[in-house]
Amino acid sequence: MKLNLFERLMTNSRMRYFVQTRIEGPKLKSMASRERYPVCLELGTGAGGGARIIIGLFGAEKVVATDIDPAQIERAKKRLGPLYGDRVILKVEDALDLSGEPAGGYDAVFAFGVIHHTEDWRRALREIGRVLKPGGEYFFDELLKDFLASPLIKAATDHPQTGMFTAGEFTGYLAQIGLKPIRQWRWDGIWLLGSAMKEKG
Ligand SMILES: C[S@@+](CC[C@H](N)C(=O)[O-])C[C@H]1O[C@@H](n2cnc3c(N)ncnc32)[C@H](O)[C@@H]1O
């Protein structure tokens, strides 16, 4: 679902860009099993910081960067168009329905802080599994249920109850649908980053 005003301001801020590019990107890269991922999909790109990480750190030749909110896609286009041209394709798309993407079409899928905004986190993970190539990797970066349900965060933000999960629920479901968790970093109850690989056979 779309962000409320508070979270939209945070997401599009310089501080968010700093945290994403200086902390989250390098941390996820340290969990990668390969040097380069030529064709990548990013869900919920927001202001477009993720696509820059995917090209700069993960060596992508092509990135399809999507978001459910047309205003975010327009914002990302302004930032990324002059830098990368056709190398980054930006489009409005719901992470819960990736039927516009080819099955087994991507070397890696990225979602920075997105799955906990969807109304059905399990369905989003199944969609990711469908579009990954066998051996392809999913890089995740999510806030967790305890944090999202805390009174202050509940008052300031707007997250669907059906998008909330614990780290164990998230990684357990990944394994169940054939996305084997590889590496993780956790801040208990608050934050989860990691990588998972689609099984080959
Ligand atoms: C917290 S922001 C993160 C933005 C960016 N990835 C970042 O890390 O700065 C969540 C983004 O996910 C998008 N979003 C929310 N629900 C979505 C969905 N079902 N499908 C695709 N994008 C979604 C929002 O519009 C927003 O841009």
Side-chain angles (χ1 to χ4, degrees):
M1 61 192 273
K2 287 187 191 175
L3 306 179
N4 71 3
L5 179 62
F6 172 73
E7 228 184 327
R8 200 162 64 242
L9 291 173
M10 295 297 289
T11 291
N12 296 330
S13 68
R14 282 178 185 273
M15 188 182 77
R16 170 65 199 140
Y17 182 71
F18 180 85
V19 171
Q20 189 180 20
T21 54
R22 299 294 175 88
I23 299 174
E24 296 170 12
K27 218 165 186 43
L28 288 177
K29 176 63 182 174
S30 75
M31 299 177 189
S33 62
R34 271 172 263 161
E35 205 42 52
R36 293 164 51 75
Y37 298 80
V39 183
C40 295
L41 175 67
E42 187 194 4
L43 308 178
T45 190
R52 293 178 78 155
I53 293 170
I54 296 164
I55 290 176
L57 292 183
F58 291 82
E61 287 155 22
K62 178 185 162 191
V63 181
V64 176
T66 67
D67 201 289
I68 201 168
D69 185 345
Q72 290 293 65
I73 288 296
E74 282 312 308
R75 191 169 281 115
K77 260 185 195 160
K78 281 192 190 127
R79 289 192 176 168
L80 298 173
L83 292 174
Y84 302 116
D86 292 347
R87 201 167 162 192
V88 178
I89 295 164
L90 283 146
K91 62 178 174 181
V92 176
E93 190 167 64
D94 187 344
L96 294 178
D97 177 10
L98 300 180
S99 53
E101 306 304 330
Y106 289 97
D107 296 295
V109 176
F110 294 78
F112 293 86
V114 179
I115 305 305
H116 66 271
H117 282 280
T118 68
E119 282 88 355
D120 183 348
W121 63 271
R122 291 181 183 84
R123 178 171 167 177
L125 297 188
R126 289 196 300 274
E127 284 292 87
I128 290 168
R130 191 184 65 76
V131 301
L132 272 174
K133 290 180 184 171
E137 281 162 62
Y138 165 40
F139 293 93
F140 47 91
D141 171 5
E142 294 296 330
L143 293 172
L144 298 171
K145 191 191 267 178
D146 286 354
F147 177 71
L148 297 172
S150 64
L152 192 63
I153 298 302
K154 262 181 102 167
T157 63
D158 201 5
H159 293 97
Q161 191 71 33
T162 47
M164 296 184 193
F165 40 78
T166 64
E169 286 168 346
F170 193 82
T171 54
Y173 193 68
L174 285 176
Q176 199 181 315
I177 61 171
L179 293 173
K180 188 178 171 202
I182 308 286
R183 295 185 189 87
Q184 286 164 51
W185 176 88
R186 292 181 191 193
W187 183 357
D188 272 341
I190 297 178
W191 196 5
L192 174 70
L193 285 95
S195 58
M197 186 182 286
K198 181 169 173 176
E199 284 167 7
K200 288 184 180 155

